[in-house]
Amino acid sequence: MAPSASSNAASEAAMSVVGAQGGGGYRWRRVFATAAACGLAALAVRAGASALEGALLYHPRVLTGDSYYAKVMSAMSRRFQQRGYKLEELKFAAKGPELQQKALLVQPADGRSKGPLWLVFGGNAMVSADWLEFCGEVLSLRDGKAVDGGAPVFLLFDYPGYGDNAGKPSPASVLRSSQAALVEVLGRFVDVKQVNLLGHSLGAAAAAQLAASLVSGKERPDDLIAVKPGRLVLSSPFLSIDEMASVLFPVIPKWLLRSLVSHRWNNAASVPDAAAGGWTLTVVHPLQDEIVPAFHGRQLYEAAKARATVGELVQPTGCGHN
C-alpha cells in the first residue's frame, strides 16, 4: 500500500525533530565544553592567585632541627636565668585543622606574675625565637624594677604552619590559634590584670584582629570575656592586603587585585574598631620604611583617632621596615 500524504508528512516532521535534536545536542555539548573550559581556567587562575598570594604573604620557617635557633634558645635561656626568668615552649590546642600549636613563653622563674602580659606577633618571615633578643633587652632595661605594676610575661606567637605548628596561615586560622594561646596562658597567670598586644608588619594585622575580636564579642571565646583591653602597639602596619597589593603591583587595576586576594587582612577596619573598644593604640612606622609606605601607619592612626582617644604615632627616621 502506498503511504498516504499525511503519513509522509508525519515522517518528515519526525525526521526534522530528530535532526533538530541532534543538532541542538551538538550545540549544547559545545556550550557545556566551553563552560567547563572557562570554569577550569577560572579555577587555574584562582589556584595561581592563591599560590602567588601565599608566596607574597607567608614565608614560614621551621624551628626543629635548625642549629641556629637551637643555639639562640640555649643562649637566651641562660640570659633569662640571670634575670630570674625562664624560657618555655607552651603547647596548646587550637580549634579547627590547626590542632596542636606551640608558642614561646618568657616568664618569671617562679611561674607567677600579675603581669603585664604581652602577646607578640612577628612579620611574615619571622618565628617566635626571633623575638627573644627583644625580650632580653626589655628585661635588661627593667634592672629588677617593676614595669606597669609587675613582672612582664611575654607570649611569643608562631602562626599555623610556622615554627613547629600544624596547619596553614590565614586570618581565620591565626585568630583561632591566637585566641587559644591567650586562653592557655591566662589559665596559668590568673592574676594578670592587663593584656597587651604587639605586632610587626603582618603581625600588626594579627594583633589588631585579635584586639578587635576581644572587644566585639562576635568571635570571642567565652574564656576571654573578662579580658580588659590594654596596649595595642603596631609596628609598620599596612592598611589592608588590597592596598599592599596595589603598592607591589601598581600597574594592575585594584578591582582585579581585589578579585585575586582571598586573605582579607584589613587593618583599616580592625584598628579603629579595636581603639573604639578601649585598646590604647600606638603606631610605630619608620618614615623610610621601604616595604610598607609610612602613610599606611599614619592613616590607620588618624582613622582610630577619629573614633577614640589613642596613644601616639611614632615615625622614627634613619631606619627601615625591619
Side-chain angles (χ1 to χ4, degrees):
M1 180 183 294
S4 65
S6 60
S7 65
N8 284 336
S11 297
E12 290 294 331
M15 291 300 294
S16 296
V17 170
V18 171
Q21 286 178 338
Y26 174 71
R27 286 194 295 272
W28 278 112
R29 285 195 296 271
R30 289 186 62 185
V31 170
F32 288 143
T34 301
C38 290
L40 290 173
L43 288 174
V45 170
R46 169 55 67 184
S50 179
L52 177 63
E53 180 180 58
L56 290 173
L57 277 178
Y58 310 114
H59 301 280
R61 290 148 64 192
V62 177
L63 290 180
T64 297
D66 190 310
S67 60
Y68 170 76
Y69 283 110
K71 293 177 181 177
V72 169
M73 295 280 284
S74 177
M76 290 307 301
S77 291
R78 293 192 298 270
R79 184 172 168 182
F80 290 140
Q81 289 173 4
Q82 294 172 358
R83 297 193 173 276
Y85 269 70
K86 64 180 178 181
L87 174 61
E88 177 187 346
E89 286 187 344
L90 179 74
K91 297 181 180 180
F92 59 96
K95 295 181 180 179
E98 295 78 42
L99 299 176
Q100 293 299 318
Q101 303 285 292
K102 287 198 301 186
L104 292 180
L105 185 63
V106 180
Q107 60 181 316
D110 61 8
R112 295 180 295 178
S113 176
K114 295 183 179 180
L117 169 65
W118 284 92
L119 181 52
V120 183
F121 300 86
N124 67 344
M126 295 179 67
V127 289
S128 54
D130 291 328
W131 288 100
L132 292 175
E133 184 68 30
F134 169 82
C135 295
E137 290 299 319
V138 172
L139 294 178
S140 67
L141 291 173
R142 290 179 68 246
D143 283 334
K145 299 177 182 178
V147 176
D148 292 337
V153 177
F154 301 95
L155 179 62
L156 312 179
F157 185 77
D158 273 320
Y159 305 120
Y162 281 62
D164 298 320
N165 289 344
K168 295 181 179 180
S170 70
S173 70
V174 169
L175 180 60
R176 289 192 298 267
S177 186
S178 61
Q179 288 174 336
L182 188 54
V183 168
E184 182 70 23
V185 76
L186 289 177
R188 289 192 179 198
F189 298 96
V190 296
D191 294 325
V192 163
K193 304 300 182 185
Q194 185 180 32
V195 174
N196 305 309
L197 307 176
L198 165 63
H200 173 67
S201 194
L202 178 66
Q209 77 162 1
L210 176 60
S213 77
L214 292 174
V215 295
S216 71
K218 294 180 181 178
E219 300 176 278
R220 179 182 60 194
D222 292 341
D223 293 331
L224 298 177
I225 290 177
V227 172
K228 295 181 179 180
R231 297 182 61 188
L232 174 61
V233 181
L234 306 181
S235 168
S236 292
F238 49 75
L239 283 165
S240 68
I241 285 299
D242 294 354
E243 292 298 326
M244 273 305 300
S246 295
V247 171
L248 297 172
F249 307 104
V251 298
I252 302 178
K254 283 190 175 183
W255 65 265
L256 179 57
L257 287 172
R258 182 172 178 79
S259 68
L260 297 176
V261 174
S262 62
H263 287 194
R264 299 293 180 196
W265 292 104
N266 189 2
N267 287 329
S270 57
V271 171
D273 286 348
W279 291 90
T280 302
L281 174 67
T282 297
V283 175
V284 181
H285 207 135
L287 290 174
Q288 286 79 39
D289 192 318
E290 73 283 8
I291 296 178
V292 182
F295 76 84
H296 281 227
R298 184 173 63 254
Q299 288 187 13
L300 287 173
Y301 177 82
E302 294 298 335
K305 188 177 179 181
R307 293 182 56 186
T309 301
V310 295
E312 59 182 332
L313 172 63
V314 181
Q315 295 182 298
T317 59
C319 57
H321 186 76
N322 292 314

